[in-house]
């Protein structure tokens, strides 16, 4: 996407504002170049309806409205998508998972061309966890990376911090150092990732 204005969409998946994951994401964002546009959305402020899987029914997915339309529009407008979700039960938060579930519907809304338009954009992950072993977050990172792979998106990387109580991540010196270098580690507009996987089946 060389020559295209970079637009980072930060999707905050915590159930509360100002949590450790958000603090870590905002720290990382301070290192973005001045010309990069930032858009921050808290998923709790834009709740989505439960996702209905009607792929095999006679119904068709309709053009989204309300909060779903907002999130779709903002997602498509971003060159870089930053999923900032705390680690809940070894995966993303419920609000984040619901947002990803709606991708399945967006793939099938006539005229949206979600897969084609997301291909080549980049996904990043930010998460705070209360376990000092970063391997605990592997299911979250794998889920997001494979979701990016499925749409042909590039993978920017995962930024992890340790926290037990509100504000703890600001005392994690290693996480703060990583945050300061996070977006600089991969030059903006580079780092193609071509992996693709089959779409997950619904239960």
């Amino acid at each position: 996407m060389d020559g295209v204005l970079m637009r980072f969409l930060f999707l905050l998946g915590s159930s509360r504002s100002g949590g450790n994951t958000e603090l870590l994401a905002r720290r990382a964002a301070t290192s973005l170049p001045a010309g990069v546009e930032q858009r921050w959305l808290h998923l709790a402020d834009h709740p989505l309806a439960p996702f209905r899987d009607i792929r095999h029914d006679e119904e068709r997915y309709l053009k989204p409205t309300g909060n779903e339309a907002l999130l779709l529009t903002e997602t498509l407008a971003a060159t870089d998508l930053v999923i900032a979700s705390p680690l809940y039960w070894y995966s993303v938060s419920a609000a984040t998972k619901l947002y990803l579930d709606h991708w399945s519907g967006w793939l099938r809304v006539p005229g949206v061309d979600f897969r084609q338009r997301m291909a080549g954009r980049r996904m990043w992950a930010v998460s705070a966890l209360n376990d000092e072993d970063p391997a605990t977050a592997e299911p979250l990172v794998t889920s997001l990376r494979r979701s990016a792979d499925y749409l042909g998106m590039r993978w920017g990387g995962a930024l992890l911090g340790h926290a037990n109580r509100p504000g703890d991540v600001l005392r994690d010196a290693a996480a703060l150092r990583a945050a300061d270098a996070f977006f600089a580690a991969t030059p903006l507009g580079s780092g193609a990732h071509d992996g693709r996987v089959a779409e997950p089946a619904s239960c």
Side-chain angles (χ1 to χ4, degrees):
M1 291 188 179
D2 295 339
V4 176
L5 174 67
M6 304 301 294
R7 190 173 195 270
F8 274 63
L9 173 61
F10 291 82
L11 287 179
L12 306 175
S14 177
S15 59
R16 62 175 180 266
S17 296
N20 285 293
T21 297
E22 180 178 346
L23 292 174
L24 190 59
R26 291 191 181 277
R27 175 66 177 253
T30 61
S31 66
L32 286 170
V36 173
E37 183 179 350
Q38 298 181 31
R39 176 79 159 119
W40 294 77
L41 289 178
H42 199 299
L43 290 174
D45 293 336
H46 308 283
L48 291 167
F51 176 70
R52 293 180 59 240
D53 185 355
I54 57 174
R55 286 178 293 173
H56 307 298
D57 300 336
E58 294 182 1
E59 297 180 71
R60 299 183 66 186
Y61 287 100
L62 302 177
K63 185 177 180 180
T65 59
N67 288 331
E68 185 183 351
L70 170 68
L71 290 171
L72 172 58
T73 298
E74 293 293 342
T75 299
L76 290 173
T79 59
D80 289 77
L81 179 62
V82 185
I83 302 292
S85 170
L87 184 71
Y88 289 157
W89 288 104
Y90 311 102
S91 188
V92 295
S93 67
T96 304
K97 178 58 167 61
L98 180 56
Y99 162 76
L100 294 173
D101 285 347
H102 276 274
W103 280 15
S104 186
W106 298 348
L107 283 165
R108 294 167 174 82
V109 176
V112 170
D113 299 323
F114 189 66
R115 183 203 295 272
Q116 294 88 336
R117 295 171 68 182
M118 293 302 292
R121 299 167 195 244
R122 182 156 44 202
M123 182 189 288
W124 312 74
V126 180
S127 185
L129 52 150
N130 64 9
D131 193 314
E132 295 186 8
D133 182 3
T136 305
E138 285 182 2
L140 178 149
V141 175
T142 298
S143 174
L144 292 177
R145 181 162 189 166
R146 290 180 69 86
S147 296
D149 285 347
Y150 179 68
L151 293 188
M153 299 177 70
R154 296 174 290 167
W155 178 248
L159 172 63
L160 304 176
H162 175 256
N164 280 313
R165 299 181 61 82
D168 268 2
V169 77
L170 297 180
R171 291 184 282 275
D172 185 345
L176 296 182
R177 287 194 300 271
D180 291 339
F182 186 49
F183 294 122
T186 301
L188 300 183
S190 68
H193 187 72
D194 298 325
R196 300 190 74 80
V197 296
E199 181 179 9
S202 61
C203 297

